[in-house]
Amino acid sequence: MSAAAGGFRSRSRSGESPRLADKAGNQTGKKTDARGAKSQQHDKRRPHSYKQQKRQKRTHRETAGVDKPRLLAFAVLNRVSDDDAYANLILPKCLREERVKGRDAAFATEITYGCLRSLGVLDTVIDACSSRELDSLATPVLNALRLGTYQLLFTRVDDHAAVDTSVRLVESAEHGKAKGFVNGILRTVGRTPREQWIAQLRPESELAGLAFEHAHPEWIAGAFNEALLAENQDASLDVESPHSDGIHPELAAALAADSERPLVHLVARPGEISAEELALMIGGETGRYSPYAVYLESGGNPGALEPVQQSMAAVQDEGSQLIARAVVEAEVLGEDSGRWLDLCAGPGGKAALLGALAAIDGASVDAVEVSPHRAELIRSTVADLPVTVHVADGRSPGLAAGFDRVLVDAPCSGLGALRRRPEARWKKDDRDILDLNTLQVELLRSALQLVRPGGVVVYSTCSPDLRETRSIVDTILGDTDGPAVEELSALATLPDIPGIGTGNFISAQMWPHRHGTDAMFFAVLRRRIS
Ligand SMILES: C[S@@+](CC[C@H](N)C(=O)[O-])C[C@H]1O[C@@H](n2cnc3c(N)ncnc32)[C@H](O)[C@@H]1O
């Protein structure tokens, strides 16, 4: 995938369209020749720190003739490429600092996030029009091309404005020599409508085609597909059918959901305020599944809401709320003595909800977090709640065993929350999942040592990838030398929620396209009383 250029690592197992590969192959000589000289020249000019860019842009603003929204979008794209910055953190900050509001802020957000989400498509189109390998282009040149291509193919911006401002952006970044190159490519891009580009460049295999169309690396589309197929929620679905092409009918919807802006979910902290009261106070709607959830349209700053300022509510995905609640709802054998544990607690969202529920039940929570910084975040979230924070490795936290309830919200790939960070899908690598698997198994084994016989352990991830969901649970269920464990139905811990736990598994997999939550997974295990 050409999104490898401009600071984005290549993540896709294959990713590239066969037709494109042919084209690239045919032109290899030309592209490779251009790369050597050109990339050296561009490398001297990078990287641009944001401050440098900002200063530079201020200097060039009058002559560059580019509006603030595009300048900000360009600066953010360059920082995401060069510094691995998170667009959803830096863009709002830039908008505030530059006092960009209203329609301008909305436009800057649309082109920045849209561009980052669609990177695979944009780069493939640019690559199809370019005589040079994208890897050989300086970051600002490539990002100006991406911004221009996004505007031409995905927005109603006038073609001339899209091309002209992109050329000026390149100039403002002191890459004036690339003006003609950028102008030429964007003119070529603009001559063909988006649907035609997609049809022309779509890889032939159904999976790669859907991945391309919905702007995901193919390996992520494959992971979603496998998770959907493995659930087999729909008994009428014949996934073995030769017509199914091995693709789950919901895959397109699952991928599309990653590019939709999620509603803000708030949790009304139990014991402080009800969801109904919170909804009335902030003009939101009570959630569909979690009894603590309130939905708010995106936009604005939920952190500034009075109930949030007063710690009566917090921003928390409804799926996360259901998982914290499941820890308390799962059936323990024998009396619950009120010793609860959150083994991977930072930054503390679930620990705070567990703490609020513990306060009602007269229980207490030990919250373990390996990172001191994240442990501090938990402390600030759980003030006034019966939660004790420990900076320790969950694999050997030094706590006395005998907990009634344990949550292992394991470090994971985060593939279930791609909609929250526009660039995230292009920055992940499926090899990272294999590295995490060992840690996930070790943390779950540790939890089973710490829970008392008859106590429950909830294992959760913000990912639907089977390697970090069912595979981990199945590994533990197959352990012969650890404590004996049984899996309980996750459905029993949930309110009425469709599309969960009626297929092959008794664990729960939530999906943005089905439930409006992040793609959170959880399984409930209970230590047997031998
Ligand atoms: C998915 S996050 C947990 C999110 C948290 N439950 C919440 O709702 O806010 C996983 C956390 O585990 C922490 N972690 C990673 N390795 C760990 C270990 N060996 N022991 C304890 N915590 C660990 C990470 O620093 C991260 O904060």
Side-chain angles (χ1 to χ4, degrees):
M1 179 66 68
S2 310
F8 288 84
R9 287 145 69 199
S10 176
R11 310 297 183 185
S12 169
R13 277 201 204 110
S14 65
E16 200 171 36
S17 122
R19 275 168 264 179
L20 268 185
D22 278 341
K23 174 188 170 293
N26 290 337
Q27 299 190 349
T28 302
K30 193 171 163 199
K31 291 192 173 188
T32 312
D33 288 342
R35 181 200 292 222
K38 203 68 196 172
S39 63
Q40 279 170 14
Q41 179 193 334
H42 286 139
D43 279 347
K44 280 187 205 148
R45 299 184 176 178
R46 343 171 16 192
H48 289 277
S49 77
Y50 176 61
K51 276 191 180 144
Q52 277 173 320
Q53 283 185 27
K54 215 165 134 183
R55 233 176 283 129
Q56 188 179 311
K57 289 211 184 76
R58 286 216 170 99
T59 322
H60 287 274
R61 192 165 294 153
E62 293 75 24
T63 49
V66 186
D67 50 285
K68 265 193 191 176
R70 288 188 176 90
L71 278 171
L72 287 185
F74 185 53
V76 171
L77 291 187
N78 288 333
R79 271 202 70 194
V80 171
S81 301
D82 281 341
D83 309 337
D84 261 347
Y86 292 176
N88 64 332
L89 298 185
I90 54 173
L91 180 66
K93 190 164 172 263
C94 293
L95 293 173
R96 264 196 316 278
E97 282 174 7
E98 294 290 329
R99 295 197 176 83
V100 177
K101 295 183 182 152
R103 288 173 58 177
D104 279 355
F107 180 60
T109 305
E110 188 202 338
I111 58 175
T112 309
Y113 291 179
C115 201
L116 288 168
R117 285 196 188 100
S118 323
L119 219 64
V121 178
L122 302 178
D123 283 5
T124 306
V125 172
I126 296 166
D127 190 56
C129 301
S130 171
S131 57
R132 298 184 204 165
E133 293 282 356
L134 301 199
D135 283 356
S136 73
L137 302 179
T139 304
V141 173
L142 180 56
N143 282 332
L145 282 168
R146 287 167 169 165
L147 266 181
T149 303
Y150 182 77
Q151 290 170 73
L152 287 167
L153 300 187
F154 290 86
T155 71
R156 299 169 79 167
V157 168
D158 170 70
D159 281 11
H160 174 75
V163 177
D164 186 56
T165 50
S166 304
V167 170
R168 285 169 194 262
L169 283 174
V170 172
E171 190 175 29
S172 79
E174 294 183 351
H175 284 276
K177 281 189 182 158
K179 274 167 58 181
F181 173 70
V182 168
N183 185 50
I185 288 188
L186 291 180
R187 282 182 190 284
T188 310
V189 170
R191 278 197 282 272
T192 305
R194 180 177 76 206
E195 297 69 29
Q196 215 170 306
W197 275 122
I198 302 266
Q200 218 172 298
L201 298 172
R202 192 184 197 275
E204 267 161 24
S205 97
E206 189 55 17
L207 181 65
L210 279 173
F212 177 66
E213 229 175 275
H214 293 283
H216 280 67
E218 188 182 343
W219 74 268
I220 295 182
F224 283 17
N225 191 45
E226 279 170 30
L228 285 163
L229 289 176
E231 282 179 354
N232 199 13
Q233 290 285 344
D234 181 355
S236 66
L237 173 68
D238 181 5
V239 291
E240 304 297 329
S241 147
H243 304 296
S244 73
D245 207 7
I247 301 297
H248 194 282
E250 290 180 36
L251 179 61
L255 295 172
D258 278 343
S259 297
E260 279 158 26
R261 190 190 270 216
L263 290 175
V264 173
H265 292 181
L266 293 165
V267 58
R269 192 180 269 178
E272 294 284 348
I273 190 170
S274 71
E276 289 75 15
E277 287 166 335
L278 178 62
L280 275 176
M281 277 176 84
I282 62 174
E285 253 185 60
T286 52
R288 279 187 291 171
Y289 311 120
S290 160
Y292 320 119
V294 172
Y295 304 153
L296 206 57
E297 284 297 332
S298 309
N301 174 15
L305 295 168
E306 205 184 314
V308 176
Q309 294 271 311
Q310 293 176 357
S311 302
M312 293 194 292
V315 175
Q316 185 174 45
D317 182 72
E318 190 171 20
S320 291
Q321 298 176 31
L322 292 173
I323 288 171
R325 182 178 177 272
V327 176
V328 181
E329 290 290 316
E331 190 189 353
V332 295
L333 297 178
E335 200 184 328
D336 183 345
S337 71
R339 277 193 77 206
W340 302 352
L341 171 65
D342 183 348
L343 202 57
C344 308
K350 295 186 191 71
L353 181 49
L354 272 179
L357 295 169
I360 294 169
D361 281 10
S364 63
V365 180
D366 285 289
V368 173
E369 168 56 49
V370 76
S371 143
H373 167 66
R374 289 170 82 84
E376 256 335 291
L377 296 176
I378 310 173
R379 285 197 184 96
S380 62
T381 309
V382 300
D384 304 331
L385 293 171
V387 179
T388 309
V389 181
H390 310 268
V391 180
D393 189 320
R395 291 170 290 186
S396 53
L399 299 172
F403 289 94
D404 300 282
R405 302 177 185 277
V406 182
L407 170 63
V408 182
D409 191 26
C412 70
S413 65
L415 290 190
L418 295 179
R419 59 195 188 144
R420 303 202 177 273
R421 274 184 48 210
E423 71 282 358
R425 65 191 76 173
W426 307 111
K427 297 224 169 196
K428 299 200 182 281
D429 187 334
D430 69 347
R431 283 164 300 190
D432 298 342
I433 295 182
L434 300 179
D435 294 342
L436 284 164
N437 286 163
T438 310
L439 177 59
Q440 290 160 344
V441 168
E442 287 171 356
L443 285 163
L444 188 46
R445 284 198 179 121
S446 166
L448 288 162
Q449 295 293 343
L450 288 160
V451 76
R452 68 167 171 82
V456 290
V457 174
V458 170
Y459 172 80
S460 62
T461 57
C462 185
S463 167
D465 191 304
L466 291 172
R467 291 169 295 176
E468 41 192 355
T469 60
R470 278 312 315 176
S471 295
I472 303 297
V473 175
D474 292 339
T475 299
I476 293 295
L477 290 171
D479 271 358
T480 47
D481 51 357
V485 178
E486 60 183 325
E487 184 175 3
L488 305 182
S489 166
L491 204 60
T493 69
L494 287 167
D496 195 17
I497 174 168
I500 287 186
T502 52
N504 284 337
F505 305 126
I506 56 173
S507 49
Q509 177 61 63
M510 295 172 248
W511 289 97
H513 71 284
R514 281 190 199 153
H515 307 109
T517 62
D518 288 343
M520 310 275 320
F521 165 89
F522 76 96
V524 184
L525 302 175
R526 187 165 61 201
R527 187 164 161 178
R528 287 186 193 275
I529 300 176
S530 45

